[in-house]
Amino acid sequence: MSEASMSDTIDVQQSAQIIAAMAQAVTARQDELSALDSTVGDGDHGHNIAKALRQAAQQVAALDDPTPEAVWRTAGKAVQNSVGGASGLLFGAFFTGAGRSLKETDRPAALDVAEMLAAGLAAVQKRGKAQPGDKTMVDALAPAAEAAQAAAGEGLSAAETVRRAADAAQIGAESTREMTARHGRAKFLGERARGYQDAGATSVAVMLAAWADLAKGAG
Amino acid sequence: MSEASMSDTIDVQQSAQIIAAMAQAVTARQDELSALDSTVGDGDHGHNIAKALRQAAQQVAALDDPTPEAVWRTAGKAVQNSVGGASGLLFGAFFTGAGRSLKETDRPAALDVAEMLAAGLAAVQKRGKAQPGDKTMVDALAPAAEAAQAAAGEGLSAAETVRRAADAAQIGAESTREMTARHGRAKFLGERARGYQDAGATSVAVMLAAWADLAKGAG
Amino acid sequence: MAVRTKKLINNPQNIVPEMLEGFAAAYPNIVRLTDDGLIVRRTPKPANKVALVIGNGSGHEPAMIGWVGPGLFDVNIPGDIFAAPGPGRILAGIKAAHPAAGVLLCVSHHAGDLMNAEAALEEAEDEGLENVEMVVLYDDISSAPKGREPERRGTAGLFFTWKMLGAFAETGADLAACKALAEKVRDNTRTLSMALTPCAHPITGEPMFELGDDEIEIGMGVHGEAGMYKGKMMSADETVARMLGPILEDLPFRAGDEVCVLLNNSGSLTLMELSILHRRVAQLLGESGIKIHRSWLGAYATTQEMSGFGLSLCRVDAQLKNLYDAPANGAWFKSVG
Amino acid sequence: MAVRTKKLINNPQNIVPEMLEGFAAAYPNIVRLTDDGLIVRRTPKPANKVALVIGNGSGHEPAMIGWVGPGLFDVNIPGDIFAAPGPGRILAGIKAAHPAAGVLLCVSHHAGDLMNAEAALEEAEDEGLENVEMVVLYDDISSAPKGREPERRGTAGLFFTWKMLGAFAETGADLAACKALAEKVRDNTRTLSMALTPCAHPITGEPMFELGDDEIEIGMGVHGEAGMYKGKMMSADETVARMLGPILEDLPFRAGDEVCVLLNNSGSLTLMELSILHRRVAQLLGESGIKIHRSWLGAYATTQEMSGFGLSLCRVDAQLKNLYDAPANGAWFKSVG
Ligand SMILES: Nc1ncnc2c1ncn2[C@@H]1O[C@H](COP(=O)(O)OP(=O)(O)O)[C@@H](O)[C@H]1O
Ligand SMILES: Nc1ncnc2c1ncn2[C@@H]1O[C@H](COP(=O)(O)OP(=O)(O)O)[C@@H](O)[C@H]1O
Ligand SMILES: [Mg+2]
Ligand SMILES: [Mg+2]
Ligand SMILES: [Mg+2]
Ligand SMILES: [Mg+2]
């Protein structure tokens, strides 16, 4: 891993590595993620997200002459079209949104991280209309974006910023256990969904943790 | 029950009573008969035969101005058309055949019994082509007819003749356990049918036992 | 073991009459339920054409109540669950079809169906009914060896005779020709079936046979009658390979032949699975140089909710292809040109 | 609990492509499978008629691959199992239908289907594609209360829109008229569904939801989404009464109305049970003074081998009756005049 990369900007090589690491992490926890989805949803989330991210990692690896923006946007398209469904569209929107924010490349990497999460979150909410508290991936993404913003503002490194975001996502994902759902298949369960952690939010936490582990190793 | 009837001839009232008693007996053992049919057949024999005989008893009861022959033939038609299937046709043929043998009415009742069983058996074999040893109702009916012939020949009473026939049928039914099937659904099982007692043969034994019990009470 | 013991019925004793009533109420433009429980065409066939009649145990729907209509059968005589109708009812069915240019009684070869049909024909003769013929249909290669075809039982492959004979009778062919056509289709048809899970008998609620969680059975009859092979679950492709080989050998089907293919869902198999199976069938037939004229995938004759399928092939010539493609309009079997 | 964990597949990852290949090989006279995995009509509709396009998660066969053909859809975009196709694939489907007199994209209302369709339409606009409209379809009264109909999800009752809109587009009606017709059918349709047993997800092999041995659930979605009532098993007649009441109240359907009835088998229910259920539906509608134009009983949109059914009513006028009775020739949905 290039040491330089993580310290200044989100570059091409690093972007591809992040996506590959995310793919590996969700694949390793695929069955657990599906199991989370099985009580309140249709039990396929782990399968969906693992397949989508593997597809994304592949297509990213196949790009020739890419920019960081192109890497993340390619991942977004791959996720959207490989599995489809609500989660394919929304996780795809997250990557695409995050990629768009990389147009401006003269920022320190920590600010890039914060911007990527904010833009990704905005894209997810634009499509999915979910608010924090609705028991969706937004409950992991929104606190992650907020934590990243704060960390970058405090002048922390990119690696530290991602770590803070990942930790916030983990707490956010766990908080969904106490919520009832207002989106996705779980919404029809009403109160019966309480007690189960949201699968999509958990995936977000797994993905950001993989990024943080990678950044730590690199930074 | 009329005491006179059993001692001389198979009359109308008694014929109807025999059929009603048979219906009651198979209905009481319906589930057991279905269970016998379930390993080697489709598990419905108890239901079939109980429904058929109840139908027969009803239609016989509704006859006005019947002869003994008409009673048994009516029962045969009822059995054939109420449940159908292989067993409906064959048990129906038995009753119809038995009824036909009652055309000649100047015999002692014991001879009537022997003739009825012989004629019923012949009708079953004409339609079903089964031989003794083929693991069917014939394995109860054939020894029953033989025993009745012998008993009547020895000059035993009608009641004793039916009892001998019933006992032979019971032994015959049990002997099917060691056979492989050459007819009905069980034939496709080959050797796998061994160890299970044939449902139709068991019904024959149950029906003749009911007749014997009735005859004993009356005679 | 996955047996569905729950059934959406009322009194188990009333299954058949209630089913017939509900069915006839759904398709009054196609069928009529007579007072004696027969399903007949709403618009009878003209009297100069041969009428097709069939009786069968119920519980195999869409067969045969759903196969009455233009291009198909004229009269169906539904029996009790899995029990052929008795001779009196068959005779009533034959009479309901009369007067047409004769009646062809189709019999799916099972002991009960055949014995009751024979008894009915004797009664018809006693009553002086003329122009009534019977044809016995069979297709299941697992139920008797090659050379003893007439001992075989009738299973899903009768589909081809139903369809082609139905179209042929509409052309005005006479009784002898109709019977010959039915035999021609039968003699060119071969079927092998398999099951993954049993079904429950709708009256007793008990499973009709037993299969382990990782077991399948090949060569099943349509009432769970035992087959020729009980073994471990295989992939779709392996299952097809295992079943197609014996079918091809039996007729035999040869390179250059043209066939119609049927993959019949015996109850709760999915069209997804049938399609995946058909993929392999088409590949293997292609490799054998056998051309597919048409394939149909669906539930045409079921054994309640048993999961499994029958694979049937029918060798066709120009005549049979034409008849196969002709329109049909039963409540549950429709063909559009 | 009766979940069939055995499925006749090969590699679970290849279910959809293998299914499409096997399906297309079975019905080459009706459909064609494109290189990018779309099911399109073998003979395209003339360019002066509106093309109908629909995407959906797979696993619901015969929907929607079996609904492509004359009188029905022009293009189906099959997604992964239970997952709507992504925007890129939907856009490809829209383009495959072009150029016709416009494209109407039908969306069964589920979060995934709607979000992906919206994204696809934005991409279509970005690319300057013209004459592309979308109509969102829903029918399930259990998923949102009266007054909030647009929040309801799409279930088996979409059958009516598929059939009638398909016939309408063949008449040469323009895009706006087609969209209005789809909305008219939708706004006159109401559905309630129930399940007896779950199904297994074909990829994970796990049951999609849980139900006790003596339990049923009313108001299920088409992927096992929770319903409004979970309770003890009831007789067929009681089940119908419990479901029909809320449906009639919702529209409301009134004495003097004429309706089409659909009893959709969600997988492994039998036609025997559907017929018994229909008997009671017909009785109760008769008592309410509501006339049945036509009833269809069958598996038109499934959730794998889930056992249960959907009861759908569509209020019809002369126009809708005509469209309903028009011929159609999809691989798995055929209507003969
Ligand atoms: N409208 C929405 N906004 C945000 N996230 C959503 C929304 N709908 C669903 N999700 C997320 O998607 C996850 C389910 O994903 P998955 O199981 O892969 O898709 P599907 O529901 O199509 O089977 C949920 O756990 C939730 O986090
Ligand atoms: N050809 C035959 N000859 C004599 N008895 C037969 C024949 N075929 C079947 N049976 C009898 O019928 C019985 C099965 O009856 P049942 O279960 O009521 O009919 P089905 O086999 O139609 O379900 C068998 O146990 C056997 O005794
Ligand atoms: Mg899911
Ligand atoms: Mg039986
Ligand atoms: Mg039976
Ligand atoms: Mg899903």
Side-chain angles (χ1 to χ4, degrees), chain B:
Chain B
M1 253 154 260
S2 129
E3 265 198 31
S5 58
M6 183 55 76
S7 37
D8 348 298
T9 55
I10 305 288
D11 70 16
V12 165
Q13 196 203 340
Q14 195 191 4
S15 296
Q17 284 170 349
I18 293 167
I19 288 158
M22 287 176 167
Q24 216 167 31
V26 294
T27 299
R29 294 179 62 180
Q30 172 169 341
D31 291 345
E32 178 192 335
L33 292 166
S34 285
L36 281 179
D37 185 41
S38 74
T39 328
V40 297
D42 57 353
D44 59 358
H45 179 68
H47 165 81
N48 293 345
I49 194 71
K51 181 172 170 187
L53 287 184
R54 282 198 308 267
Q55 196 73 32
Q58 254 173 46
Q59 292 191 20
V60 160
L63 282 174
D64 35 39
D65 201 21
T67 60
E69 182 191 354
V71 167
W72 288 84
R73 295 184 72 146
T74 299
K77 275 235 181 261
V79 166
Q80 281 191 338
N81 287 307
S82 61
V83 291
S87 61
L89 195 276
L90 293 170
F91 280 87
F94 169 76
F95 283 109
T96 308
R100 252 194 221 117
S101 81
L102 288 175
K103 267 188 181 147
E104 193 186 327
T105 51
D106 51 358
R107 290 178 301 218
L111 277 184
D112 267 344
V113 169
E115 281 305 309
M116 287 170 75
L117 292 180
L121 170 65
V124 167
Q125 290 193 288
K126 182 190 157 210
R127 286 284 173 219
K129 313 274 185 315
Q131 295 301 320
D134 287 355
K135 198 180 183 99
T136 70
M137 63 190 285
V138 167
D139 293 304
L141 258 189
E146 212 173 298
Q149 209 75 52
E154 290 172 33
L156 297 187
S157 74
E160 285 163 323
T161 301
V162 183
R163 170 57 62 197
R164 293 270 182 98
D167 292 346
Q170 176 61 29
I171 294 168
E174 285 168 17
S175 75
T176 60
R177 223 174 274 166
E178 292 320 308
M179 300 173 184
T180 60
R182 266 190 294 274
H183 291 275
R185 308 190 192 288
K187 94 170 180 204
F188 303 107
L189 273 177
E191 282 299 319
R192 285 185 272 172
R194 218 185 274 283
Y196 300 99
Q197 183 166 326
D198 181 63
T202 310
S203 280
V204 169
V206 170
M207 288 158 59
L208 292 183
W211 185 355
D213 291 347
L214 182 75
K216 186 177 162 218

Side-chain angles (χ1 to χ4, degrees), chain C residues 40 43 50 52 69 189 237 255-256 274:
Chain C
V40 304
T43 312
V50 170
L52 304 176
T189 299
D237 284 358
L274 286 186

